[in-house]
Amino acid sequence: MSDNVVWHSHPVDQPTRAEQKNQRPLVIWFTGLSASGKSTIAGALEQILTHQGYHTYLLDADREENIRRVGEVAKLMADAGLISLAAFISPFCADRQIVREIMPDGQFVEVFVDASLDVCKERDPKGLYAKAERGEIKQFTGIDSPYEAPEQPELRIPAGEVSVAEA
């Protein structure tokens, strides 16, 4: 960072925005294999929160998205006082840890949508697992690229065992 760049503090800050919205800013980070149900559960939660009067934003994109960039966007949303729900495979613990560390304490909630590889292959709405097993997609998480399950997520959802409503 240049010595000539100085951060300018403004009177409207995150606590002010959160108070205006009457909510605690959060990033709820859903992680799990492709087809585990991350987006479905995040969307259902967003609908519930919105109906309850909370201000939310759902971040969801394909597996090529850069996790650190998405984390920065989620941080900006939290700074705006929003509850952002991020649904990404985010297969590596180190990448998720980077996002956790850029957030203020208590504003990152890791949700592990835990579905077995068999359940995900069975769901496979886009046929991606079949393509990966035929070699048409390289470095596909769960097939020829690893997924590192969170060791201590704030919440673990046994996706193959519960309904979306229960999740």
Side-chain angles (χ1 to χ4, degrees):
M1 187 163 140
S2 170
D3 291 336
N4 298 322
V5 177
V6 178
W7 179 256
H8 182 81
S9 295
H10 295 278
V12 178
D13 56 9
Q14 187 194 58
T16 304
R17 292 183 200 93
E19 184 179 331
Q20 176 192 44
K21 292 172 183 59
N22 196 32
Q23 66 185 31
R24 183 176 138 219
L26 280 177
V27 172
I28 304 173
W29 194 276
F30 294 84
T31 180
L33 290 170
S34 180
S36 64
K38 298 175 301 299
S39 296
T40 302
I41 294 168
L45 178 57
E46 184 182 36
Q47 188 174 24
I48 290 167
L49 291 171
T50 299
H51 285 6
Q52 291 177 353
Y54 292 99
H55 302 264
T56 66
Y57 197 90
L58 176 59
L59 298 166
D60 190 6
D62 68 25
R63 65 187 303 272
E64 298 301 318
E65 195 62 44
N66 181 295
I67 298 305
R68 187 201 56 77
R69 268 195 344 252
V70 172
E72 291 290 347
V73 170
K75 180 182 177 187
L76 286 172
M77 300 264 181
D79 191 56
L82 299 175
I83 297 169
S84 56
L85 301 96
F88 298 95
I89 294 171
S90 52
F92 302 112
C93 291
D95 292 340
R96 297 188 303 267
Q97 186 61 31
I98 287 169
V99 178
R100 182 183 292 277
E101 289 172 1
I102 66 172
M103 296 300 303
D105 285 344
Q107 289 188 15
F108 181 87
V109 176
E110 186 175 38
V111 178
F112 177 30
V113 182
D114 189 1
S116 71
L117 186 57
D118 289 338
V119 166
C120 294
K121 285 181 182 181
E122 185 179 304
R123 291 176 178 173
D124 200 11
K126 300 173 189 168
L128 299 177
Y129 283 101
K131 287 180 180 179
E133 288 180 334
R134 290 192 305 264
E136 296 172 24
I137 301 174
K138 302 292 184 198
Q139 294 299 303
F140 191 77
T141 304
I143 301 299
D144 58 353
S145 183
Y147 175 79
E148 299 171 354
E151 293 181 14
Q152 294 183 324
E154 281 76 9
L155 181 64
R156 177 190 163 271
I157 298 173
E161 303 168 21
V162 298
S163 70
V164 172
E166 291 170 318

